[in-house]
Amino acid sequence: MDTAHPSFPILVALFVLLLGVTSSQPYEEFLQCLEFHDNYNTTISQVTFTPINSSYDSILQFSIKNSRFNTSASPKPVLIVTPYSIPQIQTTILCSKKHKFQIRIRSGGHDYEGLSYTSPDQNSSFLLLDLIRFRNISIDLAQQTAWIQPAVTTGELYYRIAEKSSILAFPSGICPTVGLGGQISGGGWGTLLRKYGLAADNVLDATVIDAKGRILNRASMGEDLFWAIRGGGGNTFGIVIAWKIKLVPVPATVTACTVTRTLEQNATEIVHRWQYVVDKLPNDVFFMVVLNSVANPVQANATTIQASFNSLYLGGIEGLIPMMDAKFPDLGLRRENCVEMSWAKSILYFAGFPLNSPLESLLDRTISATGSAKFKGKSDYVKEPIPISGFEGIWEKLKEVGVQTGGLILASYGGKMSEIPESSIPFPHRAGNIYQVEEVAFWVEDGVEAADGYLNWLRGLYEYMTPYVSKNPREAYANYRDLDIGRNGGGGEGDYRRARSWGSSYYKNNFDRLVRVKTAVDPANFFRNEQSIPPLSSWR
């Protein structure tokens, strides 16, 4: 023990006593383990929080971005650890293994099923390792690279890049509060995907703490593990505590546009035609279409379907309008639909901020895209255009729920995404996809009955989409985690077989390679959740 802290055991004992912990509870031995390894130069009370601590609820809830998992019935961690340093993370891993704590790892809190901070198992007992303090960003303009820690949000990164350069960016997500630790671990797409691919495609190096507590970089971890962490899912292979990323060039001025059309304004035909154009446009153009039910502007007490066509062009309006007139005249894009801005400002535009919002809005971690609403998401990939009759059926499904409580988001593929091989990283959804679909439901009502109503509606929409999306497997995006398509449980051979049900959807033929990497680096399956890659050694 470090003699510079002779009173530390007394502080630990006092802290345990204040918590009301007895030897029958798991905290005491775990806290003593933390103190024994003596990597906590601050007092333990500054980095560990139990449910009776006055700060516990605020720390737990600060990074919960889906209130569906923030109820009195939601399973909660028996202990939260918010380390200040890398050695403290190492100690937390070693003590968790010794005292058989399962850990959940959180960087931004956007896990679609809440698995970074809760569990669907009401009887589970777990520790939350919250990396909220790991938010350093170091940008090297000369090399056009940056080192970022896992709790850095996309908004924070974009803002810090913009501080130094108006002609550099990073191809990650649109929502500015998403933690990059989780986003890169699952792929990470945004408005630059047709130009530069995913966030995970633009990672050059990483620092990982493995299940043995070792600190590894790309050279020491080997290419298999480096491959796996770039899209193979979080809380599976270790804890990534830093990513080295490649910054990409963008013009000083980009153009963001929005065109909205209702059924009465020919939306069905325009969306249908969009499918034949969008993956063939120049790589400098990205399109996203949002489909939902809205109040009918010309008929009282009635609803209609609205299609919002949102696009980003890496250039000025003068170059965009003639191109769209030639390649997609059905949309009828006009100058008044578009605004020129910096690339960083375009993130605020796509995130739904008012046009006059200051760039500093990117730094606000507390903003949630869904506000206080609960939500559930699912995902699909479209390889052949959906016929008009298919869209007409979608409209009927959207009209079954309230105005703007359910919808679909279509994100254009093609471009760079078609050039990168499926096996380049674990994310396999490349050539052959016209666009990605996210099916979503939002609701504010409390209670199981209300939730079941919206979830059943969403599952019905997902079932309706079956004939129109990818097959064998029905592909899905790992960052839009969906426990409906399968989950692990019980351990043993069953975990591997269960994992294939969801693993083939997320990773296609890359799943088996991920299993081999997992078996090599974490054979005891210390890092795990309901949709983490299982090791073969857990049952062989």
Side-chain angles (χ1 to χ4, degrees):
M1 187 178 70
D2 189 342
T3 55
H5 300 284
S7 62
F8 208 61
I10 298 174
L11 290 172
V12 174
L14 180 60
F15 179 57
V16 170
L17 181 63
L18 289 172
L19 290 177
V21 177
T22 69
S23 59
S24 63
Q25 294 177 308
Y27 321 125
E28 181 177 11
E29 291 183 350
F30 180 83
L31 293 171
Q32 289 174 347
C33 179
L34 297 184
E35 180 271 331
F36 176 79
H37 286 276
D38 199 24
N39 287 320
Y40 283 76
N41 293 324
T42 52
T43 62
I44 286 183
S45 62
Q46 291 180 286
V47 294
T48 56
F49 306 88
T50 67
I52 63 172
N53 186 286
S54 60
S55 300
Y56 175 91
D57 286 340
S58 61
I59 292 171
L60 176 62
Q61 294 170 9
F62 180 78
S63 295
I64 293 179
K65 303 303 181 183
N66 187 350
S67 61
R68 178 177 160 216
F69 305 111
N70 191 18
T71 70
S72 59
S74 301
K76 296 175 176 59
V78 296
L79 187 71
I80 301 173
V81 180
T82 60
Y84 281 95
S85 67
I86 292 172
Q88 291 175 354
I89 297 177
Q90 294 172 290
T91 299
T92 301
I93 291 173
L94 296 175
C95 292
S96 296
K97 290 177 67 177
K98 180 178 180 179
H99 297 287
K100 296 180 171 55
F101 268 106
Q102 184 183 357
I103 65 172
R104 302 280 159 148
I105 303 163
R106 182 168 72 178
S107 56
H110 283 76
D111 188 293
Y112 269 38
E113 295 284 9
L115 298 189
S116 62
Y117 53 85
T118 187
S119 168
D121 180 3
Q122 291 289 335
N123 298 314
S124 65
S125 179
F126 60 94
L127 175 154
L128 171 58
L129 181 61
D130 193 337
L131 301 176
I132 184 68
R133 304 188 200 275
F134 284 75
R135 293 166 57 186
N136 287 341
I137 301 171
S138 178
I139 297 173
D140 186 333
L141 282 183
Q143 297 296 318
Q144 297 188 2
T145 62
W147 276 99
I148 58 173
Q149 290 187 318
V152 171
T153 65
T154 57
E156 289 170 336
L157 175 61
Y158 300 154
Y159 181 84
R160 298 307 175 195
I161 294 172
E163 275 187 321
K164 295 178 177 292
S165 172
S166 63
I167 56 171
L168 288 175
F170 183 64
S172 196
I174 296 169
C175 177
T177 59
V178 171
L180 282 157
Q183 183 159 84
I184 296 175
S185 294
W189 71 268
T191 59
L192 295 177
L193 90 163
R194 300 190 70 253
K195 183 71 172 180
Y196 296 113
L198 307 172
D201 292 322
N202 291 274
V203 171
L204 302 172
D205 202 344
T207 306
V208 177
I209 303 178
D210 70 4
K212 296 179 181 179
R214 300 177 300 181
I215 301 174
L216 307 172
N217 60 17
R218 180 174 182 174
S220 58
M221 77 176 76
E223 288 302 302
D224 279 346
L225 180 53
F226 183 64
W227 174 84
I229 61 175
R230 292 175 294 150
N235 197 13
T236 292
F237 305 100
I239 301 175
V240 180
I241 53 173
W243 302 95
K244 184 180 182 181
I245 59 173
K246 178 174 63 178
L247 306 183
V248 299
V250 292
T253 299
V254 303
T255 304
C257 307
T258 298
V259 176
T260 59
R261 296 287 185 264
T262 64
L263 296 186
E264 295 75 17
Q265 297 168 317
N266 213 27
T268 305
E269 289 73 15
I270 299 173
V271 174
H272 179 253
R273 178 59 187 159
W274 175 85
Q275 300 175 106
Y276 292 87
V277 174
V278 69
D279 62 324
K280 302 173 183 66
L281 291 170
N283 294 9
D284 289 335
V285 181
F286 167 79
F287 253 109
M288 184 171 72
V289 182
V290 180
L291 307 172
N292 59 354
S293 173
V294 298
N296 194 315
V298 297
Q299 185 178 350
N301 302 318
T303 61
T304 187
I305 302 301
Q306 176 177 277
S308 295
F309 297 83
N310 307 297
S311 64
L312 181 74
Y313 173 60
L314 300 178
I317 293 177
E318 296 297 333
L320 176 62
I321 298 297
M323 179 202 307
M324 297 306 293
D325 284 344
K327 297 182 179 297
F328 191 19
D330 310 69
L331 184 61
L333 185 67
R334 297 294 176 260
R335 286 176 173 270
E336 56 266 29
N337 305 131
C338 303
V339 183
E340 292 184 335
M341 60 187 69
S342 68
W343 183 82
K345 287 283 283 187
S346 77
I347 296 299
L348 294 174
Y349 180 94
F350 274 84
F353 285 76
L355 283 176
N356 61 352
S357 298
L359 196 60
E360 286 74 16
S361 302
L362 291 171
L363 299 175
D364 190 347
R365 297 178 68 97
T366 65
I367 296 171
S368 172
T370 61
S372 61
K374 307 162 184 68
F375 77 91
K376 163 79 175 176
K378 303 175 82 67
S379 59
D380 273 309
Y381 288 86
V382 173
K383 299 177 183 293
E384 299 290 339
I386 298 174
I388 284 180
S389 60
F391 281 111
E392 289 172 341
I394 292 173
W395 307 156
E396 293 305 311
K397 298 297 295 184
L398 293 177
K399 289 179 179 179
E400 291 176 4
V401 290
V403 170
Q404 295 186 339
T405 57
L408 297 92
I409 303 170
L410 321 180
S412 61
Y413 266 49
K416 185 68 172 180
M417 291 297 286
S418 295
E419 300 170 10
I420 300 173
E422 287 191 359
S423 60
S424 176
I425 63 172
F427 179 100
H429 314 293
R430 305 292 187 172
N433 292 302
I434 304 173
Y435 56 95
Q436 177 196 74
V437 179
E438 181 183 8
E439 301 100 342
V440 293
F442 302 92
W443 66 98
V444 296
E445 301 92 330
D446 294 325
V448 173
E449 184 176 351
D452 286 346
Y454 287 99
L455 293 174
N456 289 336
W457 171 82
L458 182 63
R459 289 164 183 152
L461 173 63
Y462 185 75
E463 182 178 359
Y464 173 83
M465 294 292 292
T466 303
Y468 308 115
V469 298
S470 58
K471 301 171 180 64
N472 301 316
R474 183 170 182 173
E475 299 173 34
Y477 176 37
N479 274 351
Y480 294 162
R481 193 192 299 278
D482 180 10
L483 291 178
D484 289 349
I485 67 174
R487 66 177 73 188
N488 304 337
E493 182 178 357
D495 258 9
Y496 175 77
R497 291 179 175 173
R498 288 189 184 97
R500 285 202 65 86
S501 68
W502 56 262
S504 60
S505 293
Y506 291 153
Y507 306 115
K508 298 177 67 177
N509 293 332
N510 294 331
F511 174 73
D512 283 336
R513 183 180 176 186
L514 287 168
V515 171
R516 291 195 296 271
V517 176
K518 175 69 171 182
T519 303
V521 303
D522 186 17
N525 204 23
F526 172 70
F527 294 109
R528 68 188 186 274
N529 59 40
E530 286 72 15
Q531 279 192 349
S532 59
I533 302 295
L536 285 173
S537 56
S538 66
W539 58 274
R540 284 190 175 178

